[in-house]
Structures are given as structure tokens and as C-alpha cells.
């Protein structure tokens, strides 16, 4: 029987961005349902909005594994705003905004430090 690894919250890891995928909000998120869904019950606010999915390679329990680092909104007018999470990702990787293409391929291969939470999720 395989042993389960223990994930400690707040653990810092080095992650190398392995791939970036483009998708839509409807393909990535499920609509809220039930009593607490409010106005978003069984619908998306903008299901056709494009998003970037960023994946990275890191060592988990002694093995290299690919983890999802985050989902980022694609800029609507082609400008990445300084207060966006995508801007923070790009600048942390050492790239200036003028040097980035619309498919973000320049990020692939860059190494970042991330923190895991108690549930094992990665935070940039």
C-alpha cells in the first residue's frame, strides 16, 4: 500500500513553470448551486471569458509532479494592469510587461518560489 505524504502549511517550494494553457471560465469553473449560491446560482457571470491556466513542476514527497499554480484572467484590452495577479506573476518571474506575448510562452521554464497551504494548494 502506498504511503501518503504529509503536507505542511506554509512550506516554501521552488516551482518551474512547465506549461500555460488557455481556456474559458465555463470550462474551468462549476456554477454555484444551492441556497448559498445567490445571484450566481447555476450560471456564470461571464462564462466565455478567456483564462490562462499556469502549471509548474515541483517536488512533492520526493517525486517531481506537475501542479496547477493558478488561473488568471486574460486581459480584455491587451494591457496587463499593475494591480492584477497576472502582472504579479510576470514581474516575479523577472519579465517586464513589454517583453511578454499574448500566449505567455516567455514564462515557461522560469522558476518561482511558492508557498503551500495546509490543504496542499500552492499560492504564488
Amino acid at each position: 500500500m502506498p504511503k501518503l505524504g504529509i503536507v505542511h502549511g506554509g512550506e516554501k517550494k521552488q516551482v518551474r513553470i512547465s506549461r500555460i494553457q488557455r481556456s474559458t471560465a465555463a470550462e474551468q469553473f462549476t456554477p454555484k448551486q444551492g441556497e448559498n449560491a445567490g445571484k450566481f446560482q447555476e450560471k456564470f457571470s461571464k462564462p466565455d471569458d478567456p483564462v490562462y491556466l499556469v502549471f509548474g513542476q515541483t517536488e512533492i514527497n520526493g517525486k517531481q509532479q506537475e501542479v496547477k499554480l493558478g488561473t488568471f484572467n486574460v486581459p480584455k484590452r491587451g494591457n496587463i494592469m499593475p494591480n492584477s495577479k497576472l502582472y504579479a506573476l510576470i514581474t516575479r518571474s523577472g519579465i517586464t510587461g513589454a517583453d511578454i506575448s499574448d500566449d505567455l510562452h516567455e514564462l515557461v521554464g522560469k522558476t518561482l518560489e511558492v508557498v503551500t497551504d495546509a490543504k496542499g494548494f500552492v499560492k504564488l
Side-chain angles (χ1 to χ4, degrees), residues 12-85:
K12 293 183 180 183
K13 294 183 173 282
Q14 293 293 316
V15 175
R16 185 182 52 79
I17 296 175
S18 57
R19 67 185 167 105
I20 297 172
Q21 179 180 331
R22 195 167 170 153
S23 186
T24 65
E27 292 172 342
Q28 298 306 314
F29 302 108
T30 56
K32 295 181 180 181
Q33 298 178 355
E35 298 175 7
N36 299 326
K39 67 179 182 178
F40 297 108
Q41 186 167 355
E42 299 182 8
K43 64 181 178 181
F44 297 98
S45 54
K46 297 178 183 173
D48 295 331
D49 277 357
V51 294
Y52 292 117
L53 304 172
V54 179
F55 297 89
Q57 291 280 337
T58 190
E59 187 175 307
I60 300 174
N61 299 327
K63 297 180 183 176
Q64 283 290 338
Q65 295 185 17
E66 185 173 68
V67 294
K68 182 176 166 186
L69 298 177
T71 304
F72 302 90
N73 292 327
V74 173
K76 294 187 187 325
R77 294 178 188 89
N79 296 325
I80 301 170
M81 303 307 287
N83 60 344
S84 70
K85 290 181 182 180

Side-chain angles (χ1 to χ4, degrees), residues 101-112:
S101 63
D102 64 347
D103 65 357
L104 305 180
H105 73 271
E106 296 87 355
L107 289 174
V108 176
K110 298 288 184 180
T111 302
L112 303 170

